Amino acid sequence: MDEAVVLYSTPAVGHLVSMVELGKLILSHRSSISIHIFITAAPYSAGSTASYIAEVAAAVPSISFHHLPTVTLPSTAASHHETLTFEVIRLSKPHLRQALLSISKSHSINAVIMDFFCADSLSVASELNIPGYFFFASGAACLALLLYFPTIHENTTKSFKDLNTFLHVPGAPPVLSSDMPSPTLDRYDKAYEYFLELATSFPKSAGIIANTFELLEARAVKAISDGLCVPTTNTPPLYCIGPLIAAKNESDGVPECLTWLDSQPSQSVVFLCFGSLGLFSKEQLTEIAIGLERSGQRFLWVVRNPPSNNQSLAISPLADPDLESLLPDGFLDRTREKGLVVKSWAPQVAVLNHDSVGGFVTHCGWNSVLEAVYAGVPMVAWPLYAEQRFNRLLLVEEIKIALPMKESEDGFVTAVEVEKRVRELMDTEAGNSIRERTITMKNEAKAAVSEGGSSRVALSKLVESWKSK
Ligand SMILES: O=c1ccn([C@@H]2O[C@H](COP(=O)(O)OP(=O)(O)O[C@H]3O[C@H](CO)[C@@H](O)[C@H](O)[C@H]3O)[C@@H](O)[C@H]2O)c(=O)[nH]1
């Protein structure tokens, strides 16, 4: 029977894209395998991936996509979008089982590789006797944090948001309890419970595949591999196979922002972009605009509509913003020579790799971080949600490839801070030292994915382990 690998993903773009790249990587190692990507129904709307999926399916015939049927979510409101994702995955278990059975009629399934959100589905793989792996879309230090989470839970009684202390996790820098991933801050929230369950499932898997490379997070990789993060049982093998970087989308012609970048001096432009879900209030957009203008730096800024309910996280379709009414009076005119504002979405990978881009203000989503590293672009870290505050800590304190954006307690960042950090990144010694370090990491990343590099070797080990079955 033909060999197959099933990748089980959530529809969120930050997760799906790296899963697809993982599929391509497996194919580059063994082209006889067919890759089947299962996608759960979307728990909320965060932009469509339909055209992306159609393009991949057309370009890579060995990758096929299977959408699991829609499920009905309970009507109770959730305070974190992650909870909705977990609920959809829980309710999709019978559909997953059915889909696996159907594929196994014509294929021998080597592995089901699950997005970490899908941890609850490990039991379905075990029941069908298929090795279940996890794909961790964030970094190794964050994985260390997750694996150690049950231990922290045992040793504390308060919610992280009320604890006000540093937590010590093997392989990770000491993390202030309030910088823990946002869905875990409240011990009594459903999302906390789901994350705790997820963390307990990880050691039961056949292996963990992480989108990182050893040299970027050497301390965390070692602590996990030495079993320090799971004191109570064995840690499964860890495969650091990254960075997985989304392929550039060439089919839509050259977007305006790339043409604009062509006319800018080398490494002169700071790029501001905040992932697939990052939104700001009108007041915050005003501060960014003032700060950017005062910094005197060239900029390319992706602007979205503010969230309708004034939260920093939108779970709504992304309609194009009316820039004139959203940004300060005359801002677009005054900055016409130096800046470009793009509505809603920019081709980030292509932008970061453009020679004119010299800095990146990011929300610290892990894909964005890896894309910046791979392009050698230093960052200003401005976390918004999920594990991004922890990522800031890691990027600033441990890896030293970013400057921190400092916010007030309610998360607001002033124009003065924006101006200061952007200038510091683009125009000072501190910025230069971050830039040099980022370029070192870029070279290490390229080495890791080349012949004989650590990520290539890890992938071979994983794929070869399926041969001996
Ligand atoms: O205008 C845009 C905005 C985003 N992107 C791309 O969209 C992806 C965004 O991914 P990421 O940077 O990881 O951010 P999120 O979409 O916010 O990712 C979620 O998933 C990540 C992986 O688990 C976590 O690290 C984040 O905190 C979590 O929010 C990247 O590939 C970007 O290149 C664009 O191309 N253009």
Side-chain angles (χ1 to χ4, degrees):
M1 267 207 280
D2 291 341
E3 288 178 286
V5 168
V6 171
L7 305 182
Y8 188 27
S9 179
T10 74
V13 63
H15 290 238
L16 180 62
V17 171
S18 45
M19 268 293 200
V20 167
E21 293 305 317
L22 175 62
K24 290 187 197 163
L25 201 62
I26 294 172
L27 283 175
S28 74
H29 199 86
R30 202 182 311 165
S31 56
S32 57
I33 294 180
S34 60
I35 304 285
H36 302 259
I37 303 188
F38 291 2
I39 306 173
T40 61
Y44 49 83
S45 170
S48 168
T49 48
S51 60
Y52 167 74
I53 289 175
E55 264 166 44
V56 175
V60 194
S62 302
I63 297 186
S64 56
F65 292 87
H66 307 252
H67 292 275
L68 298 189
T70 309
V71 293
T72 312
L73 283 172
S75 56
T76 45
S79 44
H80 295 280
H81 67 289
E82 288 88 348
T83 305
L84 302 176
T85 304
F86 283 126
E87 295 280 354
V88 169
I89 283 149
R90 187 175 58 80
L91 294 167
S92 298
K93 275 164 81 169
H95 300 311
L96 171 68
R97 190 172 183 282
Q98 212 41 53
L100 284 172
L101 282 173
S102 155
I103 298 221
S104 60
K105 281 187 194 141
S106 50
H107 294 81
S108 143
I109 305 178
N110 286 336
V112 183
I113 303 177
M114 288 171 268
D115 183 289
F116 70 95
F117 272 112
C118 305
D120 188 38
S121 306
L122 189 64
S123 58
V124 178
S126 318
E127 187 198 323
L128 300 178
N129 239 337
I130 306 170
Y133 293 77
F134 286 117
F135 173 64
F136 196 65
S138 195
C142 188
L143 175 62
L145 198 70
L146 183 74
L147 292 172
Y148 204 61
F149 181 29
T151 308
I152 303 176
H153 174 75
E154 287 300 314
N155 294 330
T156 48
T157 50
K158 276 187 178 172
S159 289
F160 294 144
K161 66 180 169 56
D162 304 321
L163 204 53
N164 197 21
T165 187
F166 279 95
L167 301 167
H168 296 272
V169 173
V175 52
L176 195 59
S177 44
S178 55
D179 280 350
M180 287 291 276
S182 48
T184 65
L185 289 178
D186 181 354
R187 200 177 174 94
Y188 304 101
D189 193 286
K190 190 78 191 153
Y192 182 97
E193 209 178 292
Y194 271 125
F195 268 96
L196 195 58
E197 270 174 31
L198 183 163
T200 347
S201 297
F202 261 59
K204 298 178 192 152
S205 66
I208 303 170
I209 301 160
N211 189 8
T212 189
F213 58 100
E214 275 181 36
L215 244 131
L216 186 69
E217 301 184 90
R219 216 157 66 83
V221 170
K222 181 160 185 342
I224 296 169
S225 308
D226 288 351
L228 302 183
C229 302
V230 188
T232 49
T233 179
N234 287 340
T235 305
L238 171 64
Y239 303 94
C240 296
I241 50 84
L244 295 169
I245 306 284
K248 283 186 222 162
N249 181 351
E250 311 284 358
S251 65
D252 298 339
V254 180
E256 185 207 348
C257 65
L258 295 180
T259 314
W260 179 80
L261 282 172
D262 286 344
S263 65
Q264 304 302 313
S266 178
Q267 299 205 357
S268 67
V269 176
V270 62
F271 176 51
L272 297 93
C273 187
F274 301 89
S276 49
L277 293 172
L279 300 184
F280 293 115
S281 65
K282 187 165 191 264
E283 295 71 34
Q284 183 63 85
L285 290 172
T286 303
E287 294 294 307
I288 299 174
I290 297 172
L292 277 180
E293 192 175 349
R294 287 196 194 141
S295 78
Q297 301 297 320
R298 294 173 194 274
F299 64 84
L300 174 61
W301 178 19
V302 181
V303 171
R304 298 204 176 121
N305 274 323
S308 44
N309 53 3
N310 218 15
Q311 289 171 354
S312 63
L313 179 75
I315 299 180
S316 64
L318 300 168
D320 268 353
D322 173 2
L323 297 178
E324 292 288 348
S325 69
L326 208 50
L327 300 174
D329 272 352
F331 170 78
L332 292 170
D333 272 341
R334 287 193 305 276
T335 57
R336 201 167 293 286
E337 295 297 308
K338 286 210 146 174
L340 182 70
V341 177
V342 174
K343 291 179 182 175
S344 302
W345 192 263
Q348 182 168 298
V349 175
V351 168
L352 287 170
N353 282 286
H354 196 289
D355 175 62
S356 302
V357 172
F360 181 27
V361 180
T362 171
H363 74 316
C364 307
W366 193 248
N367 294 291
S368 295
V369 168
L370 292 178
E371 288 161 9
V373 167
Y374 209 61
V377 178
M379 292 167 268
V380 170
W382 182 345
L384 299 176
Y385 50 93
E387 89 298 19
Q388 295 152 14
R389 291 174 75 91
F390 176 74
N391 288 347
R392 168 172 62 185
L393 171 75
L394 189 72
L395 299 176
V396 173
E397 306 283 336
E398 176 108 349
I399 314 181
K400 299 187 171 52
I401 51 175
L403 299 170
M405 191 70 98
K406 301 234 163 96
E407 69 277 19
S408 64
E409 216 161 88
D410 62 358
F412 197 73
V413 173
T414 61
V416 174
E417 175 71 5
V418 172
E419 175 191 352
K420 178 177 153 197
R421 293 301 173 183
V422 165
R423 222 186 243 152
E424 195 180 354
L425 183 72
M426 302 299 284
D427 209 15
T428 67
E429 262 316 298
N432 268 344
S433 110
I434 297 288
R435 184 178 315 278
E436 275 167 26
R437 177 97 180 124
T438 310
I439 289 169
T440 306
M441 284 302 155
K442 166 187 168 169
N443 295 334
E444 294 295 356
K446 304 247 159 173
V449 295
S450 321
E451 196 63 50
S454 62
S455 295
R456 272 279 193 102
V457 170
L459 181 79
S460 302
K461 258 195 210 155
L462 174 67
V463 178
E464 295 308 313
S465 74
W466 297 332
K467 225 176 218 165
S468 50
K469 276 207 320 140

